[in-house]
Amino acid sequence: MDHKRELTSVDLAALEAELAEYTGAKLDKAYLYAEDDLVRLKLRDFDRGRVEFIIELGDVKGAYVASADHVPDAPGRPPDFAMMLRNRLSGADLVRVEQFEFDRILELEFSRGDGSTTVVAELFGDGNLAVLDGHGEVIDCLETVRLKSRTVAPGTPYEFPSARFNPLTVGYDGFVARIRESDADLVRTLATQLNFGGLYGEELCTRAGIDYHEAVEDLTEDQLERLYEVVSEFATTLREGTLDPRVYYEDVDGETDEGGEPERRRVDATPVALTEYEHLYSERFETFNDALDDYFYNFQREEEVEGGETKRPDFEGEISKYEHIIRQQQEAIEDFEADAQAEREKAELLYARYDLVDDVLSTVQGARSDDVPWDDIEAKFREGAEQGIPAAEAVAGLDGSEGTVTLDIDGTRITVDADTGVEKNADELYKEAKRIEGKKEGAQAAIEDTREDLEAVKRRRDEWEEDDGDDTDEESDADDEPTDWLAEPSIPVRHNEQWYEQFRWFRTSDGYLVIGGRDADDNEQLVQKYLEGGDKFFHAQAHGGPVTVLKATGPSESSREVDFPQSSLDQAAQFAVSYSSVWKDGKFAGDVYMVDPDQVSKTPESGEYLEKGGFAVRGDRTYFEDTPVGVAVGITCEDRTQVVGGPPAAVEGDVATSIEVEPGQYAQNDIAKRLYREFKDRFTDESFVRKVASPDLIQEFLPPGGSRMVDE
């Protein structure tokens, strides 16, 4: 018989009350396992301790609280979606868990001091997860949906599917009218028109003593009354939680265990005992949630069995990964401590040089009250510094757009708010130190979580070795071979829009995101909205290049300093020069410079003018001289299916195939078509190339000006 792979509407109706018992738990961390289409919400409950909420959205679709032993190990570097969840939900209380209408949709509402966030799990179709703000607008979603009937996309109001008929709340007259409208037999009417699904449609027929295939028009009034009574009793059982949860097994033909008993495999988990399954062996559970946890965990493990042996997991690799994460977290804690101490020292310096700082702030405030321009104020301070006035000598710079003054006090740079006094500025620095210490506490809690995960891996390794004995050497290498995507006859399309795809972008070979502007508007937005502390700003020395930002953190993360590998710096520089006028001019190399975010400003020097998309860069620059141009365009098939482009060293390791281009004679549109035809020739599944790598999509990753394929 078919194995259960998805929760039904009846299952969710039964599960709703059990999951609602976890309201009040605080969300600790969120994980996304992209390759398994699984979201894990780790919560802390006052009474229960650690609570692991699992939402599966792939071939298996379910939502339940899992035992700690059944939770997959944390993935590596969290993707943007997981970081967004953490940013929105960390420390938030779970306040509501509800099924939407009688549909396979589960809503989880979280509340925090800064507002509410609702996670909507769609357990039907291809599966989806949408995250909504307090106004019901989609912040982000795993899959973008644009249909005539509904839209689910970032920045738009979330639209639920049309409400389904709910047979658990309808009155007798409505129940009968719904059945009489059908032209199918009874079991199909219960399954589709009343939304019970096939299994529960058959179960209700059996309980009411009516043949499955009885025509609706032939049903008597007595039969309808008996059927409604059965449905009402069933609804009361689900509503009041008087369940009898079961996991059902079927015998595996011809197989027995060591004791001679039939070998059995799980086939279903239900909230109540079913007459339809009386012929199957079943195991009772205290709650339906426990039954689902047992079923989905073991069912998927049973599916992994190959030839009687299960492939040994890479425990050593996982252990090494967690040990590396712990080392990184310890380093982060040390950095937080140093940063907090630095903020406190700045506050103390303000008080130590109170009169000097007060003199500077009073001067700026007085000038601004007389509408003196910022440039003129800065010029006055420069004149005062030349005359040896201590307060003027302490002024390192002014930023009129931010309303701040940067002071140099005893060799320490301190940026203060020009509109407030010394005490308020010092207080803000103390608050910042406290905020950083709060991050340190979060990092310490994260280390404890990672250590728990590390110990869990070690326990599983020990249990595996105890169970397998000497058989661990007999491993199958069948799954070690990578998929040859070019030869696959049919490749599924999997793509969800990311915030950075509005720009040019790529990920370095070390995993860091690089984004670049396509035009002046993009350049403005990148610097003003996305350039943060810890990032690196790149620009070609040639005129007409894009703003290029090597990101240290995602948009939902707090900024921090990162020691970027040289390979990432080199690739960001190559990206900056390749999409500049250097390529357009047919040259094969150019100079690129790199600066920190605080060196980039929209405020021009006195007497100068900055055009749209232009910026003033002050201070020392790091140069990448004679950086070679280089762009490769490829197609990814793992996790997400899409066109990607950027420096060849960054692209080639993550794609099924790629094509390198260099400055040449073909216009953007023409070379895009040539690449498209080449990709079609390489893939067996030509329809896949048409869907994910049209000439228009390829062209987005090509530099301005002429190009040609390197091998031509």
Side-chain angles (χ1 to χ4, degrees):
M1 63 181 294
D2 292 337
H3 296 236
K4 183 191 199 82
R5 291 182 175 275
E6 301 178 359
L7 294 186
T8 67
S9 295
V10 171
D11 292 335
L12 273 184
L15 191 61
E16 180 185 62
E18 292 185 359
L19 295 181
E21 293 178 4
Y22 292 94
T23 55
K26 284 187 180 296
L27 191 129
D28 186 12
K29 193 169 290 185
Y31 303 89
L32 172 63
Y33 302 75
E35 61 185 18
D36 298 320
D37 296 310
L38 185 148
V39 174
R40 170 186 163 201
L41 303 177
K42 183 177 180 181
L43 302 101
R44 300 274 181 187
D45 184 80
F46 181 79
D47 296 319
R48 299 177 178 86
R50 180 176 171 183
V51 175
E52 297 283 4
F53 205 110
I54 301 295
I55 302 172
E56 299 189 80
L57 300 161
D59 291 337
V60 171
K61 295 180 179 65
Y64 53 92
V65 172
S67 164
D69 295 336
H70 295 172
V71 173
D73 298 321
R77 182 183 176 92
D80 293 338
F81 190 86
M83 293 308 302
M84 177 276 299
L85 282 175
R86 294 181 188 183
N87 183 56
R88 293 283 309 187
L89 301 178
S90 180
D93 295 322
L94 178 62
V95 297
R96 179 173 65 91
V97 182
E98 288 183 6
Q99 178 187 25
F100 172 71
E101 300 294 341
F102 190 61
D103 212 332
R104 289 167 292 169
I105 298 176
L106 192 67
E107 299 178 73
L108 290 82
E109 183 181 352
F110 294 86
S111 179
R112 201 169 60 179
D114 55 356
S116 66
T117 301
T118 301
V119 176
V120 182
E122 300 180 354
L123 306 177
F124 59 85
D126 293 331
N128 199 6
L129 194 82
V131 182
L132 320 182
D133 64 16
H135 303 289
E137 187 170 289
V138 178
I139 301 164
D140 204 353
C141 50
L142 287 179
E143 298 292 338
T144 299
V145 177
R146 298 186 189 277
L147 304 172
K148 288 184 178 179
S149 58
R150 63 191 292 253
T151 296
V152 180
T156 66
Y158 178 81
E159 298 179 7
F160 286 96
S162 300
R164 305 178 79 196
F165 179 83
N166 190 342
L168 304 182
T169 57
V170 69
Y172 177 72
D173 291 341
F175 176 80
V176 172
R178 186 75 173 186
I179 289 180
R180 292 295 193 195
E181 289 174 0
S182 174
D183 57 3
D185 59 21
L186 179 58
V187 71
R188 281 186 287 180
T189 299
L190 291 171
T192 59
Q193 301 304 310
L194 277 79
N195 301 317
F196 277 112
L199 173 63
Y200 290 105
E202 293 174 354
E203 178 70 16
L204 294 170
C205 287
T206 300
R207 292 188 181 191
I210 305 173
D211 184 81
Y212 295 168
H213 305 297
E214 186 80 26
V216 164
E217 60 267 24
D218 294 337
L219 290 172
T220 66
E221 197 66 31
D222 286 344
Q223 286 177 316
L224 288 170
E225 289 177 356
R226 190 160 65 252
L227 183 61
Y228 182 72
E229 183 180 345
V230 167
V231 170
S232 298
E233 291 173 353
F234 189 63
T236 300
T237 297
L238 298 179
R239 184 169 53 251
E240 296 181 355
T242 53
L243 307 178
D244 182 13
R246 303 290 181 104
V247 170
Y248 286 95
Y249 296 72
E250 68 175 357
D251 294 347
V252 179
D253 292 342
E255 296 187 22
T256 58
D257 59 21
E258 294 178 355
E261 293 295 320
E263 188 75 30
R264 298 188 177 103
R265 289 187 181 174
R266 294 164 177 79
V267 291
D268 206 346
T270 62
V272 295
L274 298 184
T275 307
E276 293 298 299
Y277 282 166
E278 281 184 342
H279 62 289
L280 298 177
Y281 173 82
S282 69
E283 181 180 357
R284 296 184 63 178
F285 283 80
E286 180 114 1
T287 67
F288 184 37
N289 181 85
D290 290 345
L292 290 173
D293 178 29
D294 173 87
Y295 174 79
F296 282 122
Y297 174 73
N298 288 289
F299 162 62
Q300 291 178 73
R301 291 186 74 191
E302 289 164 358
E303 280 205 327
E304 293 171 0
V305 174
E306 298 175 2
E309 297 292 338
T310 305
K311 183 180 176 182
R312 185 181 192 277
D314 183 13
F315 295 116
E316 289 70 28
E318 291 184 69
I319 289 171
S320 177
K321 177 187 72 176
Y322 286 125
E323 289 174 341
H324 177 67
I325 291 172
I326 289 172
R327 287 194 297 272
Q328 288 182 319
Q329 290 169 331
Q330 288 171 332
E331 291 170 0
I333 289 172
E334 293 170 1
D335 291 340
F336 290 144
E337 290 172 343
D339 292 344
Q341 180 61 26
E343 295 301 308
R344 281 193 294 269
E345 289 174 356
K346 290 178 184 178
E348 290 162 7
L349 272 173
L350 292 184
Y351 280 118
R353 303 297 300 276
Y354 188 100
D355 290 339
L356 181 145
V357 177
D358 185 58
D359 192 4
V360 171
L361 293 174
S362 298
T363 300
V364 174
Q365 290 165 11
R368 290 301 298 156
S369 67
D370 293 333
D371 295 327
V372 178
W374 283 95
D375 289 343
D376 292 352
I377 299 173
E378 191 167 19
K380 284 291 185 184
F381 276 119
R382 283 198 297 268
E383 291 175 10
E386 291 171 359
Q387 297 169 15
I389 300 173
E393 289 177 333
V395 176
L398 283 76
D399 187 340
S401 64
E402 296 293 333
T404 60
V405 179
T406 299
L407 303 171
D408 188 341
I409 302 177
D410 299 340
T412 299
R413 291 284 181 110
I414 309 172
T415 299
V416 295
D417 185 345
D419 291 334
T420 59
V422 180
E423 297 91 343
K424 177 68 173 176
N425 276 294
D427 184 56
E428 290 299 319
L429 290 169
Y430 281 125
K431 286 180 180 177
E432 177 63 9
K434 194 169 184 179
R435 186 188 69 82
I436 293 171
E437 286 176 336
K439 293 170 66 176
K440 183 188 78 170
E441 293 172 2
Q444 288 170 331
I447 279 187
E448 293 307 312
D449 290 341
T450 308
R451 284 175 177 152
E452 287 179 19
D453 293 330
L454 174 61
E455 291 306 312
V457 175
K458 290 180 177 179
R459 284 196 302 272
R460 289 195 294 107
R461 178 195 60 187
D462 295 341
E463 291 169 0
W464 177 282
E465 291 173 352
E466 287 175 6
D467 291 342
D468 265 25
D470 295 331
D471 293 336
T472 54
D473 291 332
E474 300 177 9
E475 297 179 2
S476 170
D477 294 327
D479 286 342
D480 290 346
E481 293 295 325
T483 303
D484 181 4
W485 291 108
L486 301 184
E488 285 291 306
S490 178
I491 304 174
V493 175
R494 301 179 300 274
H495 180 62
N496 57 303
E497 295 177 14
Q498 300 294 327
W499 65 270
Y500 48 78
E501 292 180 22
Q502 61 186 301
F503 307 109
R504 284 199 174 95
W505 66 276
F506 77 97
R507 287 195 179 275
T508 71
S509 54
D510 306 297
Y512 291 99
L513 177 66
V514 177
I515 47 181
R518 298 181 186 275
D519 50 34
D521 288 333
D522 278 4
N523 288 346
E524 294 272 346
Q525 190 175 7
L526 282 173
V527 170
Q528 295 181 0
K529 186 175 180 180
Y530 293 104
L531 182 62
E532 301 173 301
D535 297 345
K536 295 296 182 184
F537 175 100
F538 290 79
H539 201 283
Q541 190 67 22
H543 181 72
V547 164
T548 299
V549 179
L550 173 57
K551 295 292 296 176
T553 55
S556 59
E557 299 178 86
S558 300
S559 61
R560 58 184 172 87
E561 294 296 326
V562 169
D563 185 13
F564 290 107
Q566 188 62 43
S567 52
S568 287
L569 300 176
D570 291 340
Q571 289 163 20
Q574 186 174 45
F575 180 87
V577 74
S578 295
Y579 291 95
S580 74
S581 59
V582 170
W583 187 291
K584 192 172 184 179
D585 293 341
K587 299 176 182 177
F588 284 77
D591 294 342
V592 178
Y593 65 83
M594 175 184 76
V595 295
D596 292 328
D598 59 6
Q599 295 177 250
V600 183
S601 173
K602 276 297 293 178
T603 305
E605 298 290 350
S606 180
E608 294 183 357
Y609 168 76
L610 290 176
E611 62 184 19
K612 187 174 184 180
F615 302 90
V617 177
R618 300 181 174 91
D620 295 337
R621 310 180 183 190
T622 300
Y623 280 92
F624 297 76
E625 297 179 345
D626 292 323
T627 299
V629 299
V631 169
V633 180
I635 300 177
T636 63
C637 296
E638 300 281 358
D639 296 336
R640 297 199 299 161
T641 49
Q642 63 183 138
V643 179
V644 296
V651 170
E652 290 166 357
D654 292 329
V655 297
T657 186
S658 64
I659 304 171
E660 191 172 344
V661 295
E662 62 185 10
Q665 69 273 34
Y666 300 108
Q668 261 192 348
N669 185 53
D670 294 334
I671 187 65
K673 292 177 181 177
R674 295 173 74 89
L675 265 60
Y676 171 69
R677 290 193 291 269
E678 175 64 25
F679 282 132
K680 280 183 63 179
D681 289 342
R682 294 185 183 186
F683 279 88
T684 301
D685 185 1
E686 291 187 5
S687 65
F688 168 74
V689 178
R690 286 197 299 271
K691 294 172 186 174
V692 305
S694 67
D696 287 343
L697 293 174
I698 292 172
Q699 187 171 334
E700 291 181 4
F701 291 92
L702 294 171
S707 303
R708 66 185 182 114
M709 287 187 274
V710 169
D711 294 335
E712 285 187 321

